[in-house]
Amino acid sequence: MKALAWIVGSVLVLGALLVGAVYVFDAPIRERIEAEALREVEGALAVEGGDVSVEGFPIAWYAVRQEFPAMELTAESVPFELATGPVVAHDLTARLTDVALAPDAVRAAGLTGTTRLDYSDLSALAGVEVTHADGDRIRSSGSFRVLGMNLTGTVTAVPVVDAATQTVRLEAPEVDVAGVRIPDQAVAALVDTVWQPVSLDLPHAIDVTAITATQEGLLVDLTGTDVTLPNG
C-alpha cells in the first residue's frame, strides 16, 4: 500500500513539474513564434507599427507544425496597391483563423478585421475631392455643363460598398448647384457627373464588407476566406 502511495505521489509530482515546465517555457517560445510571424507579415504587407499575437496552448505543440488556431494582427498602417491606385490602410486590426506559417507565405482559412482610409486616398481614387460632411455622409464637388453653362455642384451622400463589385457607390444623395438644392428627380443624373464608382478591390482574397464615413476617415470592415499573404 505504501509502495502504491509512493508511486501515485511520484506521478503527481512529476505531472506538476511537467505542467510547470510547459508554463515556464511557453512564454519564450510564444515570443519567438510571434516575432517570426510578424516578420512574415511585414514581408507580405509592408506593415508599419505592427504587432502579432498567436493563440494556442501549449504553443510548442503548434510551433512544431507551424500551424495555429488563430492570430491577431494590429498595424498602424499597411499600404495596398489597388487597380485604381495606391491606398494606405490605417489602424488595422485583423483576426486570422487556422493560420499556417510557411517560408513563402502566411496562409489563413479566414480573416475578419477593420481599418480606416483617409479621405485624401479616397479623393485620389475617385478623381475628385472627398471630405466628411456630417454623420455618416461624405461631400464631393465637381463641374458639369447644363444649357451651355459650366456649373459646379456639390454632392453629399452616404457611401456604401457594393459587395459584388467591391466598389463604393452613393446612397441618399443630395445635390446643391450654385446654392440651390436640386430636386430629387434630377439628382441621379447630376450625381453621375460628379461621382464614378470607386474600386476597393483589395488583394490577397480580402473583401470589403461595409464602410462607414466618420470625421477621421472611412471605416472599413474586412473579411476573407483562404487568405494567402505571400512573403516577398
Side-chain angles (χ1 to χ4, degrees):
M1 194 68 176
K2 290 183 178 180
L4 179 60
W6 182 85
I7 292 172
V8 171
S10 298
V11 169
L12 291 175
V13 170
L14 180 60
L17 290 173
L18 289 174
V19 170
V22 167
Y23 275 96
V24 168
F25 290 107
D26 188 84
I29 295 174
R30 185 178 301 276
E31 185 176 338
R32 179 178 61 80
I33 292 298
E34 290 177 345
E36 176 188 339
L38 180 58
R39 283 194 299 270
E40 292 202 27
V41 171
E42 287 174 337
L45 296 178
V47 167
E48 292 288 341
D51 187 58
V52 164
S53 62
V54 175
E55 294 183 8
F57 183 84
I59 196 66
W61 169 259
Y62 298 97
V64 170
R65 298 180 299 167
Q66 291 289 280
E67 296 178 355
F68 306 90
M71 183 172 75
E72 299 281 348
L73 167 66
T74 61
E76 293 177 5
S77 64
V78 182
F80 287 103
E81 188 67 39
L82 308 184
T84 48
V87 298
V88 177
H90 299 277
D91 304 326
L92 172 71
T93 63
R95 178 177 175 83
L96 292 79
T97 54
D98 295 329
V99 180
L101 300 181
D104 62 335
V106 177
R107 296 181 175 86
L111 177 148
T112 56
T114 60
T115 190
R116 174 178 56 83
L117 301 182
D118 286 342
Y119 288 119
S120 57
D121 280 346
L122 185 59
S123 298
L125 295 178
V128 293
E129 184 180 8
V130 180
T131 59
H132 182 245
D134 57 80
D136 59 353
R137 299 175 72 83
I138 58 173
R139 177 182 293 106
S140 181
S141 299
S143 299
F144 48 90
R145 195 171 181 83
V146 177
L147 299 176
M149 298 182 295
N150 290 322
L151 299 176
T152 298
T154 298
V155 177
T156 63
V158 178
V160 296
V161 66
D162 185 321
T165 62
Q166 289 293 282
T167 56
V168 179
R169 56 184 176 81
L170 303 182
E171 285 191 349
E174 297 177 358
V175 179
D176 181 288
V177 177
V180 177
R181 182 173 172 180
I182 302 300
D184 293 343
Q185 304 90 302
V187 163
L190 294 179
V191 167
D192 288 342
T193 67
V194 176
W195 183 270
Q196 298 299 317
V198 175
S199 174
L200 290 181
D201 193 9
L202 295 171
H204 312 308
I206 301 173
D207 291 330
V208 176
T209 56
I211 55 177
T212 305
T214 70
Q215 189 171 358
E216 292 75 23
L218 197 66
L219 297 186
V220 180
D221 292 343
L222 306 172
T223 189
T225 303
D226 294 330
V227 174
T228 298
L229 306 177
N231 187 5

